[in-house]
Amino acid sequence: MTTLALTWTAGLSLAAWLWLALGQGFFWRTDTRLPPRAEPETEPREWPAVAVVIPARDEAEVLPVSLPSVLGQRYQGRAEVILVDDGSSDGTGETARGLAGAAGPQALPLTVTSPGPPPPGWTGKLWAVRHGIAVAAERGDAEYLLLTDADIAHEPESLRDLVEAAEANGLDMVSQMARLRVVTMWERLIVPAFVYFFAQLYPFRWVNRPGGRTAAAAGGCVLIRRAAAERANVPEAIRHAVIDDVALARAVKRTGGSIWLGLADRVDSVRPYPGLAELWRMVSRSAYAQLRHSPWLLAGTVAGLVLVYLAPPAAAVAGAVTGAWPACVAGAAAWCVMTATYVPMLRYYRQSPWWAPLLPLTAALYLLMTVDSAVQHYRGRGAAWKGRTYARPEPDAEAEADASA
């Protein structure tokens, strides 16, 4: 690369980072949280009924950590928990029943049910969610549905806080991005960046803006009014979606619902991703679906990742070595802006800010995971998860998803 080309590339990278830092909804800030708990005199006079729906497939290992926290919710209204055993082979249902039996008389009531195999055109999780919602409808008149994953642990006031936020702000859907586990070296390197990249794609402030087009949710913790779900015809309308949380948010917002998304303080994922292989599968199983299985979007994404994340350190080093100081300065400046925007997310995850300069390395790994996701798709193994592989949606289903975007 010539000195001029290197300088232009570094300059473009710096311009991109200045725009991202200032013009992309301040995505890097981590202060979008549920409002503080209301004072007693401002609480709802009558707490609405809630049905908690947990789709679970082969989750016996994590349920002893997560399920007791759901059953132990301190909620002033009526609430019940419906765990949908989605064809598990590890005794998930039996484990759940045993935990409920040991939870004590003050625990929320638990129902364990199974919908059978998903029919063609449905993902397993959404088929399980549909069954759980149907069971809830048969049981009573729950005004809200809490859709939460089997690996999500809730502090005792979590359900109350979610309902309070929805009631006080007239929201149809409240979703919290659970704090993922960060223990191993690979988790420290990759997990905070996962949330950082998600927020860059879907800035929370844009998601929460009334009338805005941006829509997203975090599937591990979604409180939704049952009336809003019925109006949006979910989960039927998104039955094919691999990235179901974003599809759900789009469906609700498209039908006039008001949504909110933020980072969680009282909701945590307990699922371990101890090594690179587990994290790789987590990202690659849906990365190409995020790009709508488009080779052109894949090429654009790769080029964008190279320009935005890899070019700054490369220009800084190459410029210093070759004496191309304008390129070195521009590359170093872009790298500094990138690093500074990543520090708040590391602090949210209680990690050292010294991980921030390594974000280009993490981005390179995500680039490879995305390419691998496309390769696996064309080999017929795309969107594989827990023994199931989901093919690309039929053209009419993809058109429906595009329209909802």
Side-chain angles (χ1 to χ4, degrees):
M1 180 180 290
T2 66
T3 299
L4 182 60
L6 184 65
T7 302
W8 271 102
T9 301
L12 285 173
S13 296
L14 177 57
W17 271 109
L18 291 174
W19 182 84
L20 285 170
L22 301 176
Q24 187 68 3
F26 294 100
F27 74 93
W28 45 271
R29 295 183 58 171
T30 57
D31 56 351
T32 305
R33 315 284 181 89
L34 281 179
R37 187 175 297 126
E39 297 297 326
E41 60 270 16
T42 63
E43 292 179 355
R45 292 184 178 180
E46 183 176 347
W47 290 84
V50 181
V52 182
V53 177
I54 306 175
R57 178 173 171 84
D58 292 336
E59 299 286 10
E61 183 178 354
V62 298
L63 281 180
V65 182
S66 61
L67 186 57
S69 74
V70 179
L71 299 175
Q73 287 297 297
R74 294 197 288 263
Y75 182 64
Q76 292 86 333
R78 183 173 59 82
E80 64 171 330
V81 181
I82 302 167
L83 185 139
V84 185
D85 185 358
D86 179 22
S88 299
S89 59
D90 66 346
T92 288
E94 292 76 8
T95 300
R97 293 185 183 93
L99 292 167
Q106 300 301 318
L108 300 184
L110 173 72
T111 298
V112 178
T113 182
S114 179
W122 283 83
T123 66
K125 178 180 178 180
L126 289 173
W127 180 244
V129 168
R130 177 188 181 277
H131 184 71
I133 292 175
V135 172
E138 293 173 358
R139 291 294 182 84
D141 56 349
E143 185 175 340
Y144 285 95
L145 302 165
L146 174 59
L147 311 180
T148 187
D149 288 346
D151 66 315
I152 301 299
H154 295 254
E155 292 192 14
E157 304 291 343
S158 172
L159 179 56
R160 166 189 161 146
D161 291 346
L162 289 164
V163 172
E164 196 169 61
E167 289 285 286
N169 297 281
L171 296 167
D172 291 299
M173 190 172 79
V174 179
S175 179
Q176 288 188 289
M177 179 74 70
R179 201 188 310 255
L180 305 177
R181 197 190 90 138
V182 177
V183 176
T184 68
M185 183 274 290
W186 286 112
E187 288 172 337
R188 291 188 175 97
L189 181 66
I190 292 176
V191 167
F194 179 83
V195 182
Y196 174 88
F197 293 145
F198 183 92
Q200 192 176 79
L201 285 173
Y202 307 103
F204 295 166
R205 283 170 171 76
W206 289 2
V207 170
N208 301 340
R209 187 168 56 195
R213 296 187 61 185
T214 306
C221 178
V222 177
L223 181 80
I224 182 172
R225 292 182 192 266
R226 193 175 71 173
E230 293 173 352
R231 186 170 61 243
N233 190 31
V234 293
E236 285 81 1
I238 60 170
R239 60 190 178 277
H240 57 275
V242 175
I243 309 174
D244 52 86
D245 44 10
V246 174
L248 171 62
R250 287 172 174 169
V252 172
K253 205 167 192 179
R254 188 180 69 250
T255 53
S258 55
I259 68 175
W260 184 95
L261 170 65
L263 295 173
D265 288 318
R266 301 182 182 91
V267 181
D268 299 277
S269 172
V270 299
R271 188 182 305 283
Y273 294 98
L276 178 60
E278 294 86 356
L279 288 161
W280 193 289
R281 283 193 295 271
M282 178 190 76
V283 176
S284 67
R285 71 185 178 94
S286 60
Y288 198 43
Q290 178 70 53
L291 300 177
R292 302 176 188 173
H293 305 98
S294 167
W296 301 109
L297 287 178
L298 175 65
T301 298
V302 170
L305 286 171
V306 170
L307 175 66
V308 174
Y309 287 98
L310 306 188
V317 173
V321 170
T322 63
W325 297 112
C328 177
V329 171
W335 196 359
C336 286
V337 176
M338 179 198 319
T339 299
T341 63
Y342 190 38
V343 168
M345 187 61 69
L346 289 171
R347 287 178 175 163
Y348 170 73
Y349 272 95
R350 307 182 184 99
Q351 300 301 306
S352 168
W354 291 109
W355 286 97
L358 297 179
L359 186 57
L361 171 60
T362 306
L365 289 171
Y366 273 87
L367 187 155
L368 295 174
M369 294 172 189
T370 302
V371 172
D372 179 61
S373 179
V375 171
Q376 297 306 318
H377 169 77
Y378 289 112
R379 287 181 175 177
R381 298 197 296 268
W385 188 247
K386 293 193 176 182
R388 289 186 179 133
T389 300
Y390 299 108
R392 176 177 177 170
E394 295 300 321
D396 60 337
E398 255 193 336
E400 179 184 338
D402 290 344
S404 70

mmCIF file of all heavy atoms in Angstrom, residues 48-66:
data_model
loop_
_atom_site.group_PDB
_atom_site.id
_atom_site.type_symbol
_atom_site.label_atom_id
_atom_site.label_comp_id
_atom_site.label_asym_id
_atom_site.label_seq_id
_atom_site.Cartn_x
_atom_site.Cartn_y
_atom_site.Cartn_z
ATOM 1 N N PRO A 48 -50.716 -6.054 37.904
ATOM 2 C CA PRO A 48 -51.306 -6.952 36.897
ATOM 3 C C PRO A 48 -50.727 -8.356 36.977
ATOM 4 O O PRO A 48 -49.599 -8.568 37.430
ATOM 5 C CB PRO A 48 -50.910 -6.279 35.569
ATOM 6 C CG PRO A 48 -49.694 -5.476 35.895
ATOM 7 C CD PRO A 48 -49.860 -5.012 37.310
ATOM 8 N N ALA A 49 -51.504 -9.321 36.518
ATOM 9 C CA ALA A 49 -51.062 -10.714 36.514
ATOM 10 C C ALA A 49 -50.016 -10.926 35.419
ATOM 11 O O ALA A 49 -50.080 -10.322 34.346
ATOM 12 C CB ALA A 49 -52.257 -11.635 36.289
ATOM 13 N N VAL A 50 -49.060 -11.809 35.705
ATOM 14 C CA VAL A 50 -47.956 -12.073 34.783
ATOM 15 C C VAL A 50 -47.773 -13.580 34.631
ATOM 16 O O VAL A 50 -47.821 -14.326 35.619
ATOM 17 C CB VAL A 50 -46.635 -11.451 35.290
ATOM 18 C CG1 VAL A 50 -45.502 -11.733 34.290
ATOM 19 C CG2 VAL A 50 -46.785 -9.957 35.524
ATOM 20 N N ALA A 51 -47.555 -14.018 33.405
ATOM 21 C CA ALA A 51 -47.163 -15.401 33.139
ATOM 22 C C ALA A 51 -45.721 -15.386 32.636
ATOM 23 O O ALA A 51 -45.406 -14.710 31.656
ATOM 24 C CB ALA A 51 -48.076 -16.039 32.096
ATOM 25 N N VAL A 52 -44.854 -16.107 33.318
ATOM 26 C CA VAL A 52 -43.442 -16.197 32.944
ATOM 27 C C VAL A 52 -43.275 -17.445 32.079
ATOM 28 O O VAL A 52 -43.569 -18.558 32.526
ATOM 29 C CB VAL A 52 -42.539 -16.282 34.184
ATOM 30 C CG1 VAL A 52 -41.074 -16.321 33.773
ATOM 31 C CG2 VAL A 52 -42.815 -15.115 35.125
ATOM 32 N N VAL A 53 -42.818 -17.275 30.852
ATOM 33 C CA VAL A 53 -42.654 -18.381 29.911
ATOM 34 C C VAL A 53 -41.158 -18.612 29.678
ATOM 35 O O VAL A 53 -40.439 -17.704 29.260
ATOM 36 C CB VAL A 53 -43.368 -18.102 28.576
ATOM 37 C CG1 VAL A 53 -43.130 -19.238 27.583
ATOM 38 C CG2 VAL A 53 -44.864 -17.897 28.806
ATOM 39 N N ILE A 54 -40.714 -19.849 29.951
ATOM 40 C CA ILE A 54 -39.301 -20.203 29.805
ATOM 41 C C ILE A 54 -39.171 -21.357 28.815
ATOM 42 O O ILE A 54 -39.478 -22.501 29.158
ATOM 43 C CB ILE A 54 -38.688 -20.620 31.156
ATOM 44 C CG1 ILE A 54 -38.908 -19.550 32.217
ATOM 45 C CG2 ILE A 54 -37.198 -20.913 30.995
ATOM 46 C CD1 ILE A 54 -38.424 -19.960 33.606
ATOM 47 N N PRO A 55 -38.734 -21.105 27.581
ATOM 48 C CA PRO A 55 -38.429 -22.217 26.676
ATOM 49 C C PRO A 55 -37.108 -22.845 27.085
ATOM 50 O O PRO A 55 -36.129 -22.144 27.361
ATOM 51 C CB PRO A 55 -38.334 -21.535 25.310
ATOM 52 C CG PRO A 55 -37.928 -20.127 25.614
ATOM 53 C CD PRO A 55 -38.514 -19.790 26.965
ATOM 54 N N ALA A 56 -37.053 -24.165 27.143
ATOM 55 C CA ALA A 56 -35.837 -24.835 27.645
ATOM 56 C C ALA A 56 -35.576 -26.101 26.848
ATOM 57 O O ALA A 56 -36.455 -26.961 26.728
ATOM 58 C CB ALA A 56 -36.000 -25.165 29.125
ATOM 59 N N ARG A 57 -34.370 -26.212 26.334
ATOM 60 C CA ARG A 57 -33.955 -27.420 25.613
ATOM 61 C C ARG A 57 -32.575 -27.833 26.136
ATOM 62 O O ARG A 57 -31.596 -27.096 25.982
ATOM 63 C CB ARG A 57 -33.907 -27.176 24.109
ATOM 64 C CG ARG A 57 -33.432 -28.392 23.293
ATOM 65 C CD ARG A 57 -33.581 -28.113 21.803
ATOM 66 N NE ARG A 57 -32.953 -29.131 20.970
ATOM 67 C CZ ARG A 57 -33.518 -30.281 20.620
ATOM 68 N NH1 ARG A 57 -34.742 -30.573 21.044
ATOM 69 N NH2 ARG A 57 -32.883 -31.143 19.847
ATOM 70 N N ASP A 58 -32.534 -28.976 26.791
ATOM 71 C CA ASP A 58 -31.275 -29.497 27.358
ATOM 72 C C ASP A 58 -30.606 -28.465 28.266
ATOM 73 O O ASP A 58 -29.457 -28.066 28.061
ATOM 74 C CB ASP A 58 -30.318 -29.924 26.238
ATOM 75 C CG ASP A 58 -30.830 -31.132 25.478
ATOM 76 O OD1 ASP A 58 -31.633 -31.904 26.046
ATOM 77 O OD2 ASP A 58 -30.436 -31.305 24.299
ATOM 78 N N GLU A 59 -31.337 -28.040 29.281
ATOM 79 C CA GLU A 59 -30.856 -26.994 30.187
ATOM 80 C C GLU A 59 -30.729 -27.483 31.624
ATOM 81 O O GLU A 59 -30.699 -26.678 32.556
ATOM 82 C CB GLU A 59 -31.808 -25.791 30.152
ATOM 83 C CG GLU A 59 -31.947 -25.120 28.803
ATOM 84 C CD GLU A 59 -30.726 -24.285 28.419
ATOM 85 O OE1 GLU A 59 -29.693 -24.387 29.118
ATOM 86 O OE2 GLU A 59 -30.807 -23.536 27.431
ATOM 87 N N ALA A 60 -30.638 -28.793 31.825
ATOM 88 C CA ALA A 60 -30.575 -29.323 33.193
ATOM 89 C C ALA A 60 -29.356 -28.805 33.945
ATOM 90 O O ALA A 60 -29.384 -28.686 35.177
ATOM 91 C CB ALA A 60 -30.564 -30.850 33.156
ATOM 92 N N GLU A 61 -28.288 -28.468 33.244
ATOM 93 C CA GLU A 61 -27.068 -28.022 33.911
ATOM 94 C C GLU A 61 -27.211 -26.633 34.515
ATOM 95 O O GLU A 61 -26.687 -26.367 35.600
ATOM 96 C CB GLU A 61 -25.901 -28.030 32.915
ATOM 97 C CG GLU A 61 -24.567 -27.638 33.523
ATOM 98 C CD GLU A 61 -23.429 -27.700 32.529
ATOM 99 O OE1 GLU A 61 -23.653 -28.164 31.386
ATOM 100 O OE2 GLU A 61 -22.316 -27.286 32.875
ATOM 101 N N VAL A 62 -27.924 -25.727 33.831
ATOM 102 C CA VAL A 62 -28.011 -24.348 34.323
ATOM 103 C C VAL A 62 -29.259 -24.087 35.164
ATOM 104 O O VAL A 62 -29.297 -23.126 35.940
ATOM 105 C CB VAL A 62 -27.952 -23.338 33.157
ATOM 106 C CG1 VAL A 62 -26.642 -23.450 32.414
ATOM 107 C CG2 VAL A 62 -29.134 -23.504 32.208
ATOM 108 N N LEU A 63 -30.290 -24.919 35.030
ATOM 109 C CA LEU A 63 -31.530 -24.653 35.755
ATOM 110 C C LEU A 63 -31.355 -24.550 37.272
ATOM 111 O O LEU A 63 -32.015 -23.715 37.908
ATOM 112 C CB LEU A 63 -32.572 -25.723 35.422
ATOM 113 C CG LEU A 63 -33.311 -25.573 34.094
ATOM 114 C CD1 LEU A 63 -34.315 -26.709 33.914
ATOM 115 C CD2 LEU A 63 -34.014 -24.223 33.995
ATOM 116 N N PRO A 64 -30.518 -25.375 37.923
ATOM 117 C CA PRO A 64 -30.367 -25.225 39.373
ATOM 118 C C PRO A 64 -29.859 -23.854 39.803
ATOM 119 O O PRO A 64 -30.057 -23.452 40.958
ATOM 120 C CB PRO A 64 -29.343 -26.319 39.730
ATOM 121 C CG PRO A 64 -29.533 -27.365 38.673
ATOM 122 C CD PRO A 64 -29.819 -26.585 37.431
ATOM 123 N N VAL A 65 -29.227 -23.112 38.894
ATOM 124 C CA VAL A 65 -28.753 -21.765 39.218
ATOM 125 C C VAL A 65 -29.793 -20.714 38.857
ATOM 126 O O VAL A 65 -29.992 -19.743 39.589
ATOM 127 C CB VAL A 65 -27.432 -21.466 38.478
ATOM 128 C CG1 VAL A 65 -26.907 -20.073 38.852
ATOM 129 C CG2 VAL A 65 -26.391 -22.523 38.788
ATOM 130 N N SER A 66 -30.486 -20.919 37.742
ATOM 131 C CA SER A 66 -31.384 -19.874 37.242
ATOM 132 C C SER A 66 -32.831 -20.012 37.711
ATOM 133 O O SER A 66 -33.450 -19.023 38.131
ATOM 134 C CB SER A 66 -31.360 -19.879 35.711
ATOM 135 O OG SER A 66 -31.798 -21.128 35.193
#
